[in-house]
Amino acid sequence: MQTPNPSTTADPTASRLASPFRGDPTMARLLAITIAIFVVMSLLKPGLFFTWGNFSSMAFQFPEFAILSLAMMIAMLTGGIDLSVIGLANLSAILAAFVLTAFGPDLAAGGSAFGVIALAVATALAIGAIGGLVNGLIIAVIGIPPILATLGTGLIFTGIAVVLTEGQAVLGFPAAFSVIGNGSIYGIPVPLVIFAVLAVAVAFLLNRTAFGLKLYLMGTNALASRFAGVDNTGLTVRAYLLSGTLASIAGVVLMSRANSAKADYGTSYLLLSILIAVLGGINPYGGFGKVGGLVLAVLSLQFLSSGFNMLQFSNFAKEFIWGALLLLVMVVNGLQFGRTRPRAAAREGGNP
Amino acid sequence: MRSLFSRNETLVALIIVAFCVVTAIVEPRFLTITTITDLLRNGIVIGIFAIAAMLVLVSGGIDVSFTAIAAFSMYSATKLMIALGVGDQIIVAFLVAAAIGLTLGLINAVFIGTLKLPTLIVTLGTLTAFRGFLLTFVGSQLITNVPPGMRDFARSMIFRGETPGGSFVAVPTATLFLVGAVVLTWFILNRTVLGRSIVAMGGSRESAARVGINVTAMQYFVYGYVGVLSGLAGIVHASLARVANPFDLVGLELQVIAAVVLGGARLTGGHGTITGTLLGVTLIVLINNSLIMLGIPSTWQNVVIGFLILLGTGMPAWQARRRAAASA
């Protein structure tokens, strides 16, 4: 914390532009925390934690909420938040499930499983993109604050999911569909592969394209980016569209792992995805944060979660720890952000 | 006239009237005094929450943790009452719940006021932490045998009577808590320097600080006050339900915030009225309880409330945007 931090120098955007991959003490600290948690858990439960079986089961568990965290990160980089990710993930999954159950019986008659699954995944992605587009439009064009806009659409997405399923789980997918959530390629879990591909893609998008550059600029200072000729409205819409699409991918992975789709799956993931984003160094005021930080945050939370399970902590105790951890991380990061962004903080005042 | 129609209060009042007219046509049983007292009874706890949540929005923040504060205070106070053997003293329950609520509210204030962290994420964190702490360390068992003091409180009525049709009508004493919260909050907001300072802070924190308002102290007051109201609402809820359920209440926060923003309070701070909030609560309670009378299955509740949030926040946001575009 005492070392000078490139992301907190007087002109953070400039330093980022000059060298997007420069060493970052925030990342170093996060890496140290992740390793420390891993070592402590391995020492506490060597026969359980430090085993190939546990590593493999963790690699199946975290991708779904890691992908949701990527969605949350994109929204947070704009200075907003996306509270509708879980609702959209479940709605996408349920519509994909309807496609699977509607065309599944054809498989017995010799249809192609791949075709049906591809159609189901495409449906989910389309719903995610549409939902994200709706979020983006009502935030950027109508001007509803992101919290309330995504709170409202989140209720609507979940509500539609409940109406469509009457609160019941949708079951009965073709066997091949479970590969997405439970399969392995050369011993590497498929969900992990999906997350890795998405993380690399998002990192590329943020660090190597004009879209990412403008997104960081707008998140840092929306007025400056407008005066620099950036189309803030279009950019915000595209960011939420991306966030929605990522949420729907998480929905597909979640549904394949559970082998069912339901309106209230993953409700605890909302807090978890915000916690991961904040822990990973994404500034909730926008403009700061990297995919690398997010990945480390995901890993450290998964290590903690698995470790707590082995130590037989109850789910309630975990809930308490997640909440307390979110506050603690915010305090540590906040002191840091606060040092360099007093004017921004004053401008945004007590507003979330 | 134009300003009257661009106000959220008018919009919500019109929706309420339309809803009641349509429901009364579809289901004539809706238009009875029993429906009104039922709605009132169901609105007490949401109403107190909404008054609290409105004050936070006016101050320029947002609080989603009040339901967890209520559940925490309610369950702990009930447990303490039983443990101390003072089950017939309802006043103990209220005092203890208010004290616990105050403490938890001040914890929010430390993060928001002193450490200046974003209010939504702080209160999401405290919501989870308070609830997790309650269920881990205080208890997760239902108390179905609530102390006699709470049962008596639930049974006591300000007004009791019978309609000509023979159905039973009663207004519980608990209603006084809603009335009290409304009157006190109205008084603070409109008749005290404290209240005007909170509105000023919500409008512009920077300006409020420059004219000499102690912004941090204001935030401590707001979140502490919300904590106390939440604690009291928790006991009212447990008394009326005649069960202290630690899993109750949490999950209600989105509906409450929906009610408040429908009533015209803005997330950007500085805007919000008691009248609007009560109208918003009325609409939400109507939807929760009477949607089914319209022949709409209760599964549609979330969709309807979600649309109302977008409508209630979208209209003023769109108008503000057009005004800004016109003046630019």
Side-chain angles (χ1 to χ4, degrees):
Chain A
M1 271 201 70
Q2 297 306 317
T3 45
N5 184 335
S7 70
T8 57
T9 47
D11 198 351
T13 317
S15 76
R16 183 199 313 284
L17 298 189
S19 151
F21 291 124
R22 194 154 73 188
D24 183 341
T26 318
M27 291 283 280
R29 195 176 64 219
L30 202 52
L31 184 64
I33 293 173
T34 312
I35 293 172
I37 293 172
F38 182 80
V39 170
V40 168
M41 288 303 173
S42 301
L43 291 176
L44 281 174
K45 290 280 170 184
L48 278 173
F49 190 89
F50 198 75
T51 59
W52 193 246
N54 181 43
F55 295 157
S56 160
S57 98
M58 288 195 294
F60 278 106
Q61 281 168 31
F62 73 74
E64 54 200 36
F65 62 80
I67 299 171
L68 281 176
S69 310
L70 278 176
M72 186 64 75
M73 169 184 184
I74 303 287
M76 276 187 165
L77 284 178
T78 68
I81 196 161
D82 191 343
L83 302 177
S84 72
V85 283
I86 311 289
L88 194 50
N90 283 324
L91 181 62
S92 311
I94 281 166
L95 286 166
F98 283 162
V99 171
L100 287 179
T101 50
F103 294 100
D106 295 350
L107 296 178
S112 147
F114 180 77
V116 174
I117 291 171
L119 183 63
V121 173
T123 307
L125 290 180
I127 298 297
I130 293 169
L133 182 67
V134 169
N135 279 337
L137 288 175
I138 58 184
I139 290 166
V141 178
I142 301 182
I144 301 180
I147 294 177
L148 294 178
T150 56
L151 186 81
T153 57
L155 276 173
I156 293 174
F157 298 148
T158 308
I160 295 174
V162 171
V163 169
L164 290 176
T165 60
E166 295 185 330
Q168 304 296 312
V170 185
L171 304 158
F173 307 151
F177 182 70
S178 74
V179 170
I180 296 176
N182 302 306
S184 296
I185 304 173
Y186 299 115
I188 304 167
V190 175
L192 181 61
V193 174
I194 296 174
F195 171 63
V197 169
L198 291 175
V200 169
V202 170
F204 179 83
L205 205 57
L206 291 179
N207 296 319
R208 287 282 185 243
T209 65
F211 170 76
L213 195 68
K214 288 183 203 163
L215 199 64
Y216 279 119
L217 177 58
M218 182 181 74
T220 314
N221 189 333
L223 197 61
S225 86
R226 191 151 69 88
F227 286 152
V230 174
D231 170 19
N232 283 357
T233 310
L235 194 61
T236 308
V237 172
R238 278 185 287 160
Y240 280 93
L241 194 143
L242 179 60
S243 169
T245 312
L246 286 168
S248 68
I249 299 174
V252 170
V253 173
L254 184 64
M255 141 195 194
S256 169
R257 245 169 57 78
N259 205 22
S260 59
K262 196 160 178 262
D264 64 354
Y265 278 162
T267 41
S268 64
Y269 286 168
L270 179 63
L271 181 98
L272 206 56
S273 60
I274 294 174
L275 169 57
I276 288 168
V278 172
L279 179 63
I282 321 297
N283 185 337
Y285 289 123
F288 294 89
K290 290 178 180 173
V291 175
L294 192 87
V295 172
L296 286 176
V298 165
L299 289 177
S300 57
L301 280 192
Q302 180 62 51
F303 295 156
L304 269 182
S305 180
S306 294
F308 288 155
N309 280 345
M310 288 163 189
L311 295 167
Q312 303 194 325
F313 279 33
S314 73
N315 278 339
F316 304 139
K318 267 163 68 176
E319 210 176 296
F320 168 64
I321 292 167
W322 295 155
L325 199 60
L326 175 58
L327 294 169
L328 180 73
V329 173
M330 292 248 294
V331 171
V332 174
N333 286 351
L335 296 177
Q336 213 173 38
F337 293 137
R339 269 211 307 274
T340 56
R341 309 193 71 210
R343 283 188 54 200
R347 189 190 66 234
E348 285 170 74
N351 296 342
Chain B
M1 212 47 194
R2 226 186 121 215
S3 72
L4 186 69
F5 278 106
S6 63
R7 283 169 65 125
N8 271 56
E9 281 100 327
T10 324
L11 178 70
V12 176
L14 286 176
I15 296 178
I16 292 174
V17 170
F19 187 97
C20 291
V21 169
V22 175
T23 315
I25 292 170
V26 175
E27 175 59 83
R29 269 186 305 159
F30 175 76
L31 270 190
T32 57
I33 191 90
T34 322
T35 312
I36 295 171
T37 50
D38 277 357
L39 289 175
L40 181 65
R41 196 181 161 90
N42 288 321
I44 296 173
V45 172
I46 293 191
I48 302 175
F49 281 151
I51 294 291
M54 186 270 291
L55 188 68
V56 179
L57 283 181
V58 167
S59 80
I62 187 169
D63 187 346
V64 292
S65 71
F66 55 86
T67 51
I69 294 182
F72 194 117
S73 320
M74 170 265 281
Y75 190 74
S76 311
T78 312
K79 253 196 137 169
L80 192 73
M81 235 175 130
I82 295 170
L84 293 178
V86 288
D88 51 346
Q89 302 290 323
I90 184 75
I91 186 78
V92 175
F94 282 119
L95 287 178
V96 172
I100 296 175
L102 177 65
T103 313
L104 298 181
L106 291 178
I107 292 178
N108 277 336
V110 171
F111 289 108
I112 294 164
T114 307
L115 297 166
K116 311 220 174 333
L117 297 173
T119 58
L120 173 73
I121 302 179
V122 164
T123 53
L124 258 179
T126 52
L127 166 75
T128 317
F130 292 160
R131 186 178 132 97
F133 189 93
L134 169 71
L135 296 172
T136 311
F137 299 108
V138 185
S140 54
Q141 301 291 316
L142 286 189
I143 302 177
T144 44
N145 190 14
V146 292
M150 284 163 77
R151 273 203 303 274
D152 293 343
F153 173 69
R155 245 186 250 129
S156 71
M157 303 285 160
I158 313 171
F159 169 79
R160 194 190 293 268
E162 223 170 297
T163 58
S167 45
F168 183 67
V169 179
V171 179
T173 311
T175 316
L176 290 180
F177 276 85
L178 177 58
V179 176
V182 166
V183 172
L184 182 62
T185 311
W186 179 86
F187 182 81
I188 292 173
L189 265 182
N190 297 301
R191 290 286 180 271
T192 64
V193 176
L194 176 71
R196 299 324 291 169
S197 307
I198 291 171
V199 178
M201 173 177 79
S204 168
R205 197 186 150 99
E206 179 85 26
S207 317
R210 295 245 169 113
V211 296
I213 294 171
N214 185 343
V215 179
T216 311
M218 290 302 127
Q219 282 175 318
Y220 271 81
F221 172 80
V222 168
Y223 291 95
Y225 185 77
V226 168
V228 171
L229 282 186
S230 308
L232 297 177
I235 294 293
V236 170
H237 171 82
S239 302
L240 292 181
R242 311 210 178 170
V243 56
N245 181 354
F247 294 93
D248 259 2
L249 296 171
V250 174
L252 210 61
E253 59 277 355
L254 296 189
Q255 289 196 4
V256 172
I257 291 170
V260 177
V261 296
L262 270 174
R266 295 197 201 149
L267 203 58
T268 40
H271 290 266
T273 61
I274 301 269
T275 325
T277 305
L278 291 177
L279 283 170
V281 170
T282 310
L283 186 54
I284 294 289
V285 173
L286 268 174
I287 290 169
N288 281 345
N289 294 284
S290 305
L291 203 57
I292 199 132
M293 286 198 181
L294 271 179
I296 301 173
S298 56
T299 43
W300 281 91
Q301 253 177 39
N302 277 339
V303 180
V304 174
I305 294 176
F307 269 113
L308 286 176
I309 293 184
L310 295 183
L311 186 69
T313 53
M315 297 256 300
W318 179 242
Q319 279 161 355
R321 194 152 277 210
R322 285 190 33 197
R323 262 198 306 277
S327 66

